[in-house]
């Protein structure tokens, strides 16, 4: 929510984090791992980093592509939360073409893509962000990119 400039109610955030900690304390299904990390990253970067390391460890013991993709995404989001936007952008870029392999809706994939664009912008790579946005704009609803184009103008 913060990525899109929408503050999240603190009480609601704590409730969501408590639920995630209770039900998803260890890595499991890759797609769920990504969502769990997003929740943890909103509340506690240290906890998100620990979870991201666990996801990476799980991926290192797996032969499935989705585990590796999600591990890269989790590391990217951890770097994003630590405000190391250049590293985050690099990790998001490495995973970007493979994101459909982890499943999810177009909106969920758009959130990953938007995180990448934000990391590019915050790392001073507006030109590359504009190039990637232009490539992506033909694949999703035009209104989703209107705000992005106005930020990059």
């Amino acid at each position: 929510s913060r990525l899109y400039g929408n503050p999240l109610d603190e009480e609601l955030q704590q409730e969501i984090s408590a639920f995630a900690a209770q039900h998803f304390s260890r890595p499991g299904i890759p797609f769920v791992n990504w969502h769990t990390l997003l929740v943890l990253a909103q509340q506690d970067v240290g906890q998100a980093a620990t979870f991201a390391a666990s996801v990476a460890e799980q991926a290192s013991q797996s032969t499935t592509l989705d585990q590796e993709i999600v591990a890269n995404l989790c590391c990217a989001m951890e770097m994003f939360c630590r405000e190391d936007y250049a590293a985050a952008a690099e990790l998001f870029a490495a995973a970007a073409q493979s994101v459909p392999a982890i499943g999810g809706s177009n909106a969920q994939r758009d959130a990953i893509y938007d995180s990448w664009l934000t990391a590019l912008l915050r790392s001073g790579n507006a030109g590359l962000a504009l190039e990637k946005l232009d490539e992506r704009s033909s694949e999703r609803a035009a209104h989703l990119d209107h705000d992005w184009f106005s930020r990059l103008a």
Side-chain angles (χ1 to χ4, degrees), residues 117 120-121 124-134 152:
L117 289 177
L120 285 170
L121 284 174
N125 271 320
L128 183 56
L130 183 58
E131 178 184 318
K132 295 302 172 187
L133 179 60
D134 192 45
L152 292 168

Side-chain angles (χ1 to χ4, degrees), residues 33-54:
N33 291 345
W34 168 246
H35 287 80
T36 301
L37 184 89
L38 290 177
V39 169
L40 296 174
Q42 289 279 330
Q43 192 70 23
D44 183 341
V45 175
Q47 195 176 13
T50 299
F51 189 80
S54 297

Side-chain angles (χ1 to χ4, degrees), residues 5-137:
N6 301 315
L8 189 60
D9 176 82
E10 188 64 32
E11 187 175 314
L12 177 60
Q13 178 61 47
Q14 288 176 0
E15 183 180 329
I16 293 169
S17 294
F19 182 87
Q22 180 181 357
H23 297 285
F24 305 106
S25 60
R26 293 175 306 185
I29 300 167
F31 188 71
V32 174
N33 291 345
W34 168 246
H35 287 80
T36 301
L37 184 89
L38 290 177
V39 169
L40 296 174
Q42 289 279 330
Q43 192 70 23
D44 183 341
V45 175
Q47 195 176 13
T50 299
F51 189 80
S54 297
V55 170
E57 175 63 26
Q58 180 187 44
S60 73
Q61 299 172 11
S62 175
T63 59
T64 63
L65 180 61
D66 59 344
Q67 295 274 6
E68 182 181 335
I69 296 164
V70 169
N72 286 337
L73 290 172
C74 287
C75 289
M77 187 53 70
E78 176 194 351
M79 293 296 103
F80 188 96
C81 291
R82 293 184 184 282
E83 299 181 6
D84 186 347
Y85 300 118
E90 194 173 307
L91 288 165
F92 278 125
Q97 298 305 314
S98 303
V99 166
I102 65 172
S105 68
N106 287 335
Q108 289 165 322
R109 282 178 258 180
D110 285 345
I112 293 168
Y113 190 79
D114 289 349
S115 298
W116 181 25
L117 289 177
T118 302
L120 285 170
L121 284 174
R122 292 182 182 177
S123 67
N125 271 320
L128 183 56
L130 183 58
E131 178 184 318
K132 295 302 172 187
L133 179 60
D134 192 45
E135 289 172 12
R136 179 75 171 154
S137 65

